[in-house]
């Protein structure tokens, strides 16, 4: 073959790999969309012990066909405090077993002519995509059709490449001593590096199967590449955890540590372990009489069997040592020094990769809950400011409130940007509605922050004017602030509990109580000023505080309405 032929075949291989990665992505996302929030509920509920956690990780990874998606989801749950580190480690162990199904699918693609199944899947998929109720199943069919079509193209490109009759390729791979651990380690590192670069162990597995099935890549070197893929795939979770909290970074590190420990022990038993797998499959690496056709049929199965055997055995050996692994990652990943609570940092939203709309919406919901807690801390400072008479302490507290107001502006912008990026994906109607509701929530919470700062400025104006409230006015202000605090507490309770556990009428009743109390105090203020119980200036400052509290209560109810998808007027009619 001339150089032009090799360029054409190489472009076919690269295009097939791109199609394979895209097919895996489409299939995984479609499965996650079909499952919706059920995967999240399963992951949160079925991790009561290390064995159920392992089985859960296996089940979810088999379902979504992506260990990276499962691991990133697990890291996010640790970051959100929904899973402990020990639970996350067991799920990650199960994910490593679940991902072996991908290798078996690929070995099937190299042993069975899938062409007849691919094109009907494309045709049926495009019909279902335009069906509102079945579009995710259509996406799934398209994804799996792309995957199988890529395997068909790769197999064809491998045959066109004709490496088994290429002396240069044969001599190149024959120059490596397969009986040397040093050579095995070199190929292990190559597999790790390539997987880290392409962020797809499936693509590297496909190339490994392609090279082994042509007969030019010895099975021992192919298995070394597979071992490297197991380490390289952990890069996804570690990248996703870079912006997360300490426990989430420890969970990602546990994924790396688990696979590294597995590679270390299998390297010590490398040749006996490989020989055992080959014997079980019925392949003898030392038998020179085995033809190319036999190798093409057997070697993909050997690779898939080794991948499964390694991950199952590694999990069986290490599942009893989860507490020790937990201690080790806690020692390796130290807690970050505590920052000031006023420092701006998103707690739950990460900028990692492999995000799905369902997981992204969940992270945004947790971040909005954190936003609500921060705003209530700001309001608590406003309540302290109302009682503070020492000027230096007042200025210090006022400065903190002012800083919080800037943080609330930044949080609204960052969460809105994140939701805007999520909305660019292909979303279900339910997810679109959630995003619209969350955009309204963050806008109203930011308005609560503005109201808190307005209250602080009003109290500052009172201090500078050297006017004092009477005891009755102070009691009235404190009572109004107490009602607003009750509203904020109920709002944050809503963020932390499921819809069924929330009684929205409590929020609406508090808001009506605030409105009634505002009207009562406003009318009484007019009478008291006319009767000269206090000055007009004091009365103006006082009523400004009361009015701002009432506005703040309205913003809280708006958040509740957006979150619960119910309006106060509807509740009155029930």
């Amino acid at each position: 073959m001339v150089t032009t032929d090799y360029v054409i075949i190489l472009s076919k291989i690269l295009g097939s790999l791109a199609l394979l990665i895209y097919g895996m992505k489409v299939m995984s996302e479609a499965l996650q969309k079909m499952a919706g929030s059920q995967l999240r509920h399963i992951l949160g509920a079925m991790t009561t012990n290390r064995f159920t956690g392992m089985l859960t990780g296996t089940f979810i990874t088999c379902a979504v066909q992506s260990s990276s998606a499962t691991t990133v989801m697990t890291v996010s749950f640790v970051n959100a405090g929904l899973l402990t580190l020990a639970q996350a480690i067991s799920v990650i162990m199960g994910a490593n077993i679940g991902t072996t199904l991908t290798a078996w699918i690929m070995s099937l693609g190299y042993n069975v002519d899938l062409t007849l199944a691919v094109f009907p899947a494309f045709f049926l998929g495009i019909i279902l995509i335009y069906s509102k109720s079945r579009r995710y199943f259509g996406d799934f069919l398209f994804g799996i059709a792309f995957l199988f079509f890529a395997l068909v193209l790769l197999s064809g490109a491998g045959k066109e490449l004709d490496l088994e009759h290429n002396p240069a390729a044969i001599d190149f791979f024959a120059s490596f001593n397969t009986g040397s651990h040093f050579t095995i380690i070199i190929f292990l590192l190559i597999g790790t590096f390539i997987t880290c670069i392409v962020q797809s162990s499936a693509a590297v597995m496909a190339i490994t199967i392609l090279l082994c099935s042509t007969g030019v890549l010895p099975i021992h070197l192919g298995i070394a590449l597979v071992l490297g893929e197991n380490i390289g795939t952990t890069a996804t979770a570690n990248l996703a955890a870079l912006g997360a909290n300490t426990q989430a970074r420890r969970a990602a590190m546990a994924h790396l540590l688990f696979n590294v420990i597995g590679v270390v022990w299998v390297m010590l038993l490398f040749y006996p372990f490989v020989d055992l797998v080959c014997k079980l499959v019925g392949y003898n690496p030392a038998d020179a009489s085995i033809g190319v056709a036999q190798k093409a049929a057997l070697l993909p199965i050997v690779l898939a069997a080794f991948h499964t055997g390694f991950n199952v055995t590694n999990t069986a050996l290490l599942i009893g040592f989860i507490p020790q692994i937990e201690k080790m990652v806690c020692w390796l990943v130290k807690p970050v020094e505590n920052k000031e609570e006023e420092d701006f940092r998103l707690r739950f939203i990460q900028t990692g990769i492999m995000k799905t709309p369902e997981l992204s919406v969940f992270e945004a919901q947790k971040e909005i809950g954190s936003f609500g807690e921060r705003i209530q801390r700001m309001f608590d400072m406003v309540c302290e400011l109302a009682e503070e008479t020492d000027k230096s302490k007042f200025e210090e507290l006022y400065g903190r409130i002012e800083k919080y107001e800037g943080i609330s502006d930044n949080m609204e912008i960052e969460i809105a940007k994140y939701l805007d990026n999520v909305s660019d994906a292909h979303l279900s109607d339910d997810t679109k509605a959630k995003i619209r509701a969350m955009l309204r929530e963050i806008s109203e919470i930011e308005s609560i922050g503005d109201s808190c700062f307005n209250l602080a400025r009003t109290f500052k104006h009172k201090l500078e004017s050297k006017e004092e409230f009477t005891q009755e006015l102070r009691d009235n202000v404190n009572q109004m602030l107490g009602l607003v605090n009750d509203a904020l507490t109920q709002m944050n309770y809503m963020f932390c509990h499921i819809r069924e556990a929330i009684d929205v009428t409590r929020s609406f009743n508090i808001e009506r109580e605030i409105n009634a109390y505002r009207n009562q105090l406003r009318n009484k203020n007019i009478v008291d000023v006319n009767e000269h119980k206090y000055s007009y200036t004091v009365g103006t400052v006082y009523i400004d505080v009361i009015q701002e509290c009432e506005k703040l209560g309205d913003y809280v109810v708006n958040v509740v309405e957006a979150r619960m998808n119910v309006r106060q007027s509807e509740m009155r009619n029930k």
Side-chain angles (χ1 to χ4, degrees):
M1 286 193 294
V2 296
T3 306
T4 309
D5 294 329
Y6 282 115
V7 171
I8 292 172
I9 293 171
L10 180 62
S11 66
K12 285 183 180 179
I13 291 173
L14 292 175
S16 300
L17 286 174
L19 195 61
L20 184 143
I21 293 170
Y22 179 71
M24 290 287 293
K25 179 177 181 293
V26 171
M27 184 175 66
S28 176
E29 289 183 353
L31 285 165
Q32 291 175 69
K33 286 174 184 175
M34 282 193 285
S37 61
Q38 295 306 312
L39 287 179
R40 172 158 56 86
H41 294 154
I42 290 170
L43 194 57
M46 293 183 62
T47 52
T48 52
N49 60 60
R50 66 188 71 178
F51 297 103
T52 56
M54 182 267 292
L55 291 173
T56 302
T58 303
F59 166 75
I60 290 179
T61 307
C62 286
V64 302
Q65 276 302 293
S66 174
S67 62
S68 295
T70 304
T71 308
V72 169
M73 196 186 303
T74 304
V75 168
S76 299
F77 280 21
V78 175
N79 189 52
L82 297 180
L83 289 179
T84 65
L85 182 55
Q87 289 172 328
I89 294 171
S90 67
V91 172
I92 288 167
M93 287 181 174
N96 276 270
I97 296 175
T99 194
T100 61
L101 181 62
T102 305
W104 286 106
I105 291 173
M106 289 188 178
S107 68
L108 174 70
Y110 275 85
N111 283 288
V112 179
D113 185 4
L114 299 169
T115 310
L116 294 176
V118 166
F119 296 107
F122 276 128
F123 180 73
L124 183 58
I126 196 66
I127 293 173
L128 294 176
I129 282 174
Y130 287 98
S131 167
K132 188 173 182 180
S133 59
R134 295 285 184 270
R135 61 185 175 188
Y136 298 142
F137 187 66
D139 286 339
F140 168 74
L141 282 179
F142 246 70
I144 201 166
F146 276 131
L147 170 63
F148 286 151
F149 190 48
L151 292 174
V152 170
L153 294 176
L154 273 174
S155 180
K159 290 173 183 175
E160 287 182 40
L161 204 55
D162 197 27
L163 289 177
E164 62 268 25
H165 297 117
N166 187 317
I170 294 170
D171 292 342
F172 173 75
F173 287 110
S175 66
F176 293 100
N177 180 10
T178 57
S180 167
H181 272 88
F182 178 75
T183 303
I184 301 301
I185 291 171
I186 292 296
F187 273 77
L188 185 150
L189 294 174
I190 291 171
T192 302
F193 176 75
I194 295 174
T195 309
C196 287
I197 295 298
V198 301
Q199 283 294 298
S200 173
S201 59
V204 184
M205 175 64 82
I207 284 292
T208 306
I209 292 175
L210 173 66
L211 292 173
C212 283
S213 63
T214 59
V216 295
L217 181 66
I219 189 61
H220 293 86
L221 302 186
I223 286 174
L225 290 175
V226 171
L227 287 174
E229 292 156 19
N230 274 271
I231 297 176
T233 194
T234 63
T236 304
N238 280 278
L239 286 171
L242 286 177
N245 62 25
T246 303
Q247 287 296 87
R249 286 185 289 113
R250 285 171 175 169
M253 178 59 70
H255 189 205
L256 173 61
L257 187 64
F258 170 72
N259 282 354
V260 168
I261 292 173
V263 168
V264 168
W265 72 256
V266 88
M267 286 301 296
L268 297 175
L269 303 170
F270 184 75
Y271 294 102
F273 195 85
V274 172
D275 290 342
L276 176 63
V277 172
C278 289
K279 187 177 180 181
L280 290 173
V281 174
Y283 171 73
N284 184 4
D287 188 356
S289 64
I290 297 177
V292 174
Q294 272 186 294
K295 286 185 177 181
L298 287 175
L299 291 183
I301 297 174
V302 172
L303 290 172
F306 175 84
H307 194 221
T308 303
F310 165 68
N311 282 293
V312 170
T313 306
N314 194 35
T315 299
L317 290 174
L318 295 181
I319 196 166
F321 295 94
I322 287 179
Q324 287 74 23
I325 295 174
E326 184 177 12
K327 288 179 183 177
M328 195 176 296
V329 294
C330 288
W331 177 74
L332 289 171
V333 181
K334 304 294 183 186
V336 180
E337 291 182 13
N338 289 330
K339 300 179 180 180
E340 286 185 58
E341 65 173 357
E342 291 86 3
D343 285 350
F344 169 61
R345 185 179 77 87
L346 296 179
R347 291 175 58 196
F348 302 107
I349 287 177
Q350 304 167 42
T351 55
I353 53 179
M354 289 294 294
K355 293 298 177 62
T356 61
E358 175 64 32
L359 181 56
S360 300
V361 167
F362 170 70
E363 287 184 347
Q365 285 175 336
K366 295 293 292 183
E367 198 63 65
I368 291 172
S370 174
F371 193 5
E373 290 173 5
R374 195 185 290 263
I375 286 296
Q376 186 156 19
R377 288 200 298 271
M378 182 181 182
F379 182 77
D380 290 341
M381 286 187 275
V382 170
C383 293
E384 289 180 47
L385 197 72
E387 298 292 329
E388 189 57 67
T389 54
D390 184 273
K391 191 168 184 180
S392 61
K393 290 182 179 178
F394 186 98
E395 290 294 336
E396 180 185 351
L397 198 54
Y398 182 83
R400 289 181 66 196
I401 294 170
E402 189 172 24
K403 190 171 184 179
Y404 260 72
E405 201 277 332
I407 289 171
S408 72
D409 291 342
N410 289 333
M411 287 194 76
E412 181 196 16
I413 292 168
E414 292 302 318
I415 297 173
K417 281 182 181 177
Y418 183 75
L419 290 172
D420 186 54
N421 290 333
V422 174
S423 66
D424 289 338
H426 181 57
L427 305 175
S428 66
D429 294 336
D430 183 51
T431 303
K432 288 177 183 176
K434 285 181 182 177
I435 290 176
R436 286 194 298 271
M438 286 190 286
L439 287 170
R440 184 186 174 199
E441 287 170 39
I442 59 173
S443 174
E444 299 294 345
I445 293 174
E446 193 277 330
S447 295
I448 294 172
D450 289 343
S451 278
C452 288
F453 188 51
N454 289 340
L455 285 170
R457 284 191 295 194
T458 303
F459 288 128
K460 186 178 183 182
H461 175 67
K462 179 176 80 73
L463 185 72
E464 290 172 348
S465 65
K466 297 182 180 179
E467 298 281 358
E468 287 295 329
F469 288 164
T470 64
Q471 185 60 47
E472 182 185 3
L473 296 186
R474 282 198 294 271
D475 291 341
N476 293 341
V477 168
N478 288 336
Q479 187 171 341
M480 178 62 90
L481 292 174
L483 287 171
V484 173
N485 187 62
D486 290 343
L488 287 168
T489 301
Q490 188 62 26
M491 179 188 79
N492 283 316
Y493 177 88
M494 174 190 67
F495 287 137
C496 302
H497 293 79
I498 60 173
R499 180 185 291 265
E500 290 74 17
I502 300 165
D503 181 8
V504 291
T505 57
R506 294 182 65 182
S507 293
F508 295 149
N509 288 340
I510 293 171
E511 197 269 342
R512 284 194 285 269
E513 194 173 346
I514 290 172
N515 288 347
Y517 195 49
R518 183 275 314 266
N519 294 337
Q520 176 189 333
L521 296 181
R522 185 171 56 189
N523 294 334
K524 191 172 187 304
N525 178 64
I526 295 171
V527 175
D528 290 344
V529 168
N530 288 334
E531 293 179 356
H532 304 291
K533 290 185 178 180
Y534 43 81
S535 68
Y536 179 80
T537 304
V538 169
T540 302
V541 173
Y542 165 68
I543 209 63
D544 283 348
V545 171
I546 300 302
Q547 296 274 33
E548 197 64 53
C549 286
E550 192 276 331
K551 283 170 58 181
L552 201 158
D554 288 342
Y555 296 138
V556 171
V557 164
N558 291 342
V559 174
V560 173
E561 288 181 345
R563 185 72 161 198
M564 301 301 295
N565 193 27
V566 61
R567 295 196 176 276
Q568 191 172 178
S569 56
E570 295 172 359
M571 296 300 295
R572 286 199 196 102
N573 295 330
K574 288 184 178 180

